[in-house]
Amino acid sequence: MTHSHKLRVCILAPSAEYLGGQARQAIRLIEGFRLETSLAVSFIPHNPKFRGVFQWLQRIKYVRTVVTSLWYWTVLCFKIPSCDVVHVFSASYLSYLLAVAPAILIGKLFGKKVVLNYRSGEADDHLTRWPITTVPIMRLADAIIVPSGYLVNVFARFGLHAKAIVNTVELIRFRFRDRQPFRPIFLTSRSLEPLYNVPCVLRAFALIQAQIPSARFIVAGSGSLRRELETLSQELGLFNVEFRGGVPFDAMPELYDEADFYMMAPNLDNMPGTLIECFASGLPVVSTDAGGIPYILTHEQTGLLASCDDHRALARHALYLWGNQEVAAAIAAHAHQYVQEYTWTHVRERWLTLYQELVAPTVPGNTLAASNPQRVD
């Protein structure tokens, strides 16, 4: 493909200024694609930040939603016409309605190929409760890509054909550490929102600390439940618990390295990037079996699973790993081997093949799949 025939891919996703899995995955794709000589990649943030005298508008509740959305839709109308493929990351509910549905509609209005990259574990509820704005608009997309077989099955129940392309992890950023002997230092790093049920993890840690008084617990993440969780920690009589707040992506490897066990208890989830980052870092994981988690974490092989909202089972699994450290080390090693499937080397070709299939009839000289792979993992 000559320079004039580079495939122009525009990625639409949450800005890197906001912590979250979608932003992390978007950064990884952009970094990888920019090494491809066959691609010209651009980026439009779902949530653009105003500068200068207009900054104050985004500090006013409701007003910021209106002005940010209007600006974002205007940017779409100006930039999408110069793209070949519109690759839009998608969460659920209001963010889908304001950021994703308009991108699909504008993309098709200009005759572009649209990839809907849906990533929310709340897909079943979203598609059920928002039928008018979901299924009919999603059918307009030229491809629906999800990061797990779990979401493939969810979309199939609504008559939508989706394909799975897994998330990627940069092994060069996440250092594997053999933790033997293990220390009783536990970590959770999900958003402090009801969906992720951090209270369940605190209750599990209370049982752990009763058996291991020296145990520490690091709670990383921000969210609406921060004060409630701090109060619960006091009510449970916990000590050695640190609430770290939101942690930038660049600082996550050091955070994982600080701990020796990872616990989480979501009630609903898809394919949390946290899991594969823990696998890459050598952290044994104990988790609930919500949503798509069992599709990537195999019980007793790459981690231990408990039923949702079962803090006793979480604690029992964590204490088992602490008391059987050879098993914990074997699980961490197996998980690290498994995570090799999530490196850019493995995922790259699937994205390039998808783009090639979408644009082959319309872009002359298209040779995407033959372009040289570049290592970014």
Side-chain angles (χ1 to χ4, degrees), residues 69-84:
S69 297
L70 289 173
W71 179 254
Y72 169 71
W73 299 337
T74 302
V75 171
L76 294 183
C77 290
F78 277 96
K79 291 193 174 183
I80 282 180
S82 62
C83 303
D84 298 309

Side-chain angles (χ1 to χ4, degrees), residues 69-117:
S69 297
L70 289 173
W71 179 254
Y72 169 71
W73 299 337
T74 302
V75 171
L76 294 183
C77 290
F78 277 96
K79 291 193 174 183
I80 282 180
S82 62
C83 303
D84 298 309
V85 176
V86 178
H87 180 151
V88 55
F89 278 62
S90 177
S92 52
Y93 306 124
L94 189 60
S95 64
Y96 164 84
L97 184 63
L98 295 178
V100 181
I104 295 174
L105 294 172
I106 294 172
K108 299 315 296 179
L109 177 66
F110 286 106
K112 305 303 177 180
K113 299 297 182 180
V114 176
V115 176
L116 171 61
N117 194 185

